[in-house]
Amino acid sequence: MQHHVFIIGSRGLPAKYGGFETFVENLVTRRQREDVVYHVACLDDGSYTQADERGHFSFQGVDCFVVNPARWLGPARVIAYDMMALDHALAMVRRENILKPVFCILGNTIGPLVGGITKRVHDVNGRLFVNPDGLEFKRSKWPKPVRAYLKYAEKCMAKHADVIVSDNEGIQEYMERTYPEVKASQKSIFIAYGTDTAASTLTAGDQKVRSWYAQHDVKEEEYYLIVGRFVPENNYETMIREFMASKTKRDLVIITNYEGNAFFEQLRTATHFDEDPRVKFVGTVYDRDLLTYIRENAFAYLHGHSVGGTNPGLLEALSYTDLNLVLDVAFNHSVARDACMYWKIPHMDDASQTAESSPALADAIEQADELTRVERQTYGAQAKYIIARDYTWEKIVGQYEEIFTYER
């Protein structure tokens, strides 16, 4: 028997964007079982010219189908996209007489509608899986009405989904604590996010390496590094302020898409980072091999994410950078364990900070500056052990395929 899995909620394949898209691409292209058949919804961005008259195309052997909700819908377009994708998938199940399909929805966007969705899925003898992502309702980028909607959507998903898959133990604990029915019905599952572990193929003498370092006036082992989405909840302002307050002589290299972003000007006004030559916004690095080399050769990595589950950037930092200075919140603790140095934001209004003894980041940076290479490598060895044990894509894909193919 073939096990058909319909994935709804990412922007589609190939991955061009963030965490969900990367997750989907790795899940479906690293398939381990031949009896698992994936169907992935793709949001029409004008690039899917290879789609047939039904809107389908193949990506590395995976069935993809293109959905095109009207652009004039604005923010509601995301909801329309998920609902149209679901309609397409259900029609396909009926047309092709697919037995026991699995519908895997990423995120809580269509949460208020999920009661009716679950009924439609059960009508075709299917199961509904939901990955709630992080705590979306806490993200400061959303206005209050949207945050209220997302919180209500989360509640609806918890009530009606057949299985809740959390990619972080902190998220799983939150879901079970906040919605007792999730724990009581034993429909809560933890499966981590995965990450690559292959080292960079580049060497110090390669032209692209020397060009990048020269362009930004940076030297290997002489910079702290930040890589991530350029949003306030990742605590850029705190990290920049604390770095500037430290006495380190090393640089702060920030790899992010800051150009044309109003937040960049807000940060400049708030921190005056442009008056500190150590702080260097260097734009984006889309060359994967080069980015891995930059991670491998950082003195240390700074991680300030305060919202949500297992962040892909943290996994990559643990995989490639020996010393990581990580914001002390429960979600990060559940991933990094004792393989990093933690720092805290004084008076942070977040009960998930776990250790009163964690220093402010400026102090943590000065402590890090005093570590020997062997001490940094000791942290790195522990981090790589955690990644190899818990966060390889091979392990993650195997766990998903096990629950997708579980016979009821």
Side-chain angles (χ1 to χ4, degrees):
M1 173 182 171
Q2 289 187 319
H3 301 272
H4 291 260
V5 180
F6 294 84
I7 300 178
I8 295 167
S10 79
R11 292 181 181 90
L13 297 174
K16 306 171 189 174
Y17 302 95
F20 271 153
E21 289 69 40
T22 302
F23 158 71
V24 172
E25 182 165 320
N26 279 281
L27 175 67
V28 302
T29 61
R30 297 173 186 260
R31 184 180 61 168
Q32 297 170 8
R33 293 184 51 150
E34 291 298 321
D35 58 344
V36 175
V37 180
Y38 288 108
H39 311 270
V40 179
C42 300
L43 178 62
D44 190 3
D45 61 359
S47 67
Y48 296 117
T49 56
Q50 73 273 42
D52 62 22
E53 66 279 0
R54 300 180 302 123
H56 284 246
F57 68 95
S58 178
F59 174 78
Q60 296 190 29
V62 177
D63 173 46
C64 301
F65 58 95
V66 180
V67 178
N68 186 16
R71 293 187 179 275
W72 60 261
L73 289 170
R77 188 170 189 247
V78 177
I79 299 173
Y81 167 55
D82 286 353
M83 292 303 298
M84 291 172 66
L86 183 72
D87 288 343
H88 184 104
L90 285 166
M92 183 176 172
V93 167
R94 292 189 176 92
R95 182 174 62 251
E96 300 185 12
N97 195 29
I98 294 173
L99 302 177
K100 298 181 179 180
V102 168
F103 298 82
C104 184
I105 297 181
L106 306 177
N108 293 322
T109 305
I110 56 176
L113 307 173
V114 78
I117 291 170
T118 303
K119 182 179 184 305
R120 295 171 66 193
V121 167
H122 289 175
D123 285 346
V124 296
N125 199 26
R127 288 186 296 161
L128 184 68
F129 289 61
V130 172
N131 182 327
D133 199 13
L135 305 183
E136 280 293 312
F137 69 92
K138 285 191 173 185
R139 295 195 185 277
S140 57
K141 68 177 180 178
W142 301 121
K144 286 186 177 180
V146 175
R147 292 163 83 173
Y149 171 87
L150 290 170
K151 177 63 176 172
Y152 178 65
E154 176 187 273
K155 179 180 180 180
C156 294
M157 286 292 199
K159 179 178 180 180
H160 293 290
D162 294 311
V163 179
I164 302 290
V165 185
S166 302
D167 67 15
N168 181 286
E169 290 173 329
I171 293 293
Q172 182 185 37
E173 291 166 4
Y174 161 81
M175 293 295 294
E176 293 179 353
R177 181 178 69 252
T178 307
Y179 308 107
E181 66 270 25
V182 170
K183 186 173 185 178
S185 60
Q186 295 184 322
K187 62 182 180 180
S188 173
I189 294 175
F190 162 65
I191 302 180
Y193 194 90
T195 192
D196 289 319
T197 57
S200 174
T201 64
L202 298 174
T203 66
D206 285 330
Q207 179 57 37
K208 70 167 64 175
V209 170
R210 296 278 47 93
S211 176
W212 188 89
Y213 279 87
Q215 178 185 354
H216 301 293
D217 191 22
V218 178
K219 297 179 180 178
E220 282 98 329
E221 302 289 331
E222 290 299 324
Y223 57 93
Y224 287 83
L225 178 66
I226 300 173
V227 183
R229 288 191 307 140
F230 197 49
V231 291
E233 60 262 25
N234 291 349
N235 289 296
Y236 278 92
E237 181 173 344
T238 296
M239 289 190 289
I240 291 171
R241 283 188 185 278
E242 291 288 316
F243 180 86
M244 292 172 63
S246 76
K247 296 182 177 64
T248 185
K249 291 181 171 57
R250 293 183 167 89
D251 291 321
L252 174 61
V253 172
I254 303 173
I255 297 178
T256 191
N257 187 16
Y258 71 91
E259 295 178 346
N261 192 319
F263 181 44
F264 180 75
E265 294 304 323
Q266 295 171 17
L267 274 180
R268 178 164 25 207
T269 300
T271 67
H272 302 286
F273 64 76
D274 53 326
E275 299 174 11
D276 188 331
R278 299 173 299 171
V279 179
K280 299 179 177 181
F281 280 84
V282 300
T284 53
V285 177
Y286 291 118
D287 184 319
R288 188 74 186 176
D289 213 16
L290 177 58
L291 180 58
T292 298
Y293 182 92
I294 294 166
R295 286 186 178 279
E296 289 171 341
N297 289 277
F299 178 81
Y301 184 84
L302 306 184
H303 187 76
H305 290 54
S306 58
V307 176
T310 300
N311 177 261
L314 177 56
L315 294 182
E316 291 179 358
L318 294 171
S319 186
Y320 296 122
T321 308
D322 281 340
L323 180 60
N324 293 279
L325 278 57
V326 177
L327 178 60
D328 183 15
V329 294
F331 305 120
N332 294 335
H333 249 284
S334 68
V335 176
R337 309 291 180 178
D338 57 354
C340 68
M341 295 174 62
Y342 289 100
W343 54 276
K344 69 179 179 181
I345 301 176
H347 313 299
M348 181 178 177
D349 184 22
D350 191 333
S352 62
Q353 290 198 114
T354 58
E356 290 294 326
S357 60
S358 295
L361 179 56
D363 295 327
I365 288 171
E366 293 180 4
Q367 292 172 22
D369 271 354
E370 298 301 317
L371 295 181
T372 66
R373 178 181 292 273
V374 171
E375 288 172 325
R376 289 190 294 124
Q377 289 174 338
T378 299
Y379 275 114
Q382 179 63 14
K384 290 175 176 60
Y385 170 75
I386 289 172
I387 293 296
R389 182 189 65 193
D390 297 331
Y391 296 103
T392 64
W393 281 119
E394 289 74 20
K395 177 178 180 178
I396 305 314
V397 169
Q399 289 176 317
Y400 268 99
E401 290 185 351
E402 182 178 350
I403 64 171
F404 287 157
T405 58
Y406 174 75
E407 289 294 333
R408 291 165 284 173

